[in-house]
Amino acid sequence: MRRFLSSVKCAAIGIAMAVRKERNMRIHLVAASAVVLLALWLGLKPVEWAVLLALCGLVIGLELVNTAVERVVDLVSPDRHPLAKAAKDAAAGGVLAAAAFAAAVGMLLLGPPLWDKLRELFG
């Protein structure tokens, strides 16, 4: 049990570091918070919640992996190198792809009920 708790503590430290030092992590957290608030307001179904939360978790998780890749590349290759750039760009591309697909799914799930709610409010 101690090893598990130690692992959880290390993971929490890693997440906190990324939130403090990575602007994109903060952007993803703000976006995820906005999605959650909007979904609460719209009263989404459990399956829709599951999809939205899974995608938010995926994007945030990939941002953490991207941060790790950037740190390791900087450690092993402090000078500019084309392979270091390629590794960093690929990791960032993974986050971008996940975020783009998450945004598309978010529009599909949130768009119609939001439109209905706005039409109801503003006639």
Side-chain angles (χ1 to χ4, degrees), residues 8-121:
V8 170
K9 181 180 175 185
C10 289
I13 289 168
I15 292 169
M17 179 277 305
V19 171
R20 268 193 327 275
K21 296 189 178 213
E22 295 296 321
R23 179 179 56 93
N24 286 343
M25 176 59 87
R26 292 188 298 275
I27 290 169
H28 292 307
L29 288 172
V30 168
S33 298
V35 165
V36 166
L37 291 174
L38 187 57
L40 280 169
W41 185 57
L42 295 173
L44 293 189
K45 297 173 186 158
V47 169
E48 295 167 328
W49 270 105
V51 171
L52 287 177
L53 292 175
L55 290 172
C56 288
L58 175 68
V59 172
I60 290 168
L62 283 173
E63 185 61 43
L64 288 164
V65 170
N66 180 51
T67 298
V69 167
E70 288 178 351
R71 299 291 190 276
V72 169
V73 167
D74 288 346
L75 177 66
V76 300
S77 182
D79 298 327
R80 290 186 179 264
H81 191 282
L83 290 176
K85 181 181 180 344
K88 287 181 168 188
D89 289 351
V95 178
L96 179 62
F101 280 98
V105 171
M107 284 189 272
L108 289 171
L109 291 178
L110 298 171
L114 177 60
W115 183 253
D116 292 342
K117 189 81 130 182
L118 292 175
R119 213 172 335 146
E120 182 182 304
L121 289 173

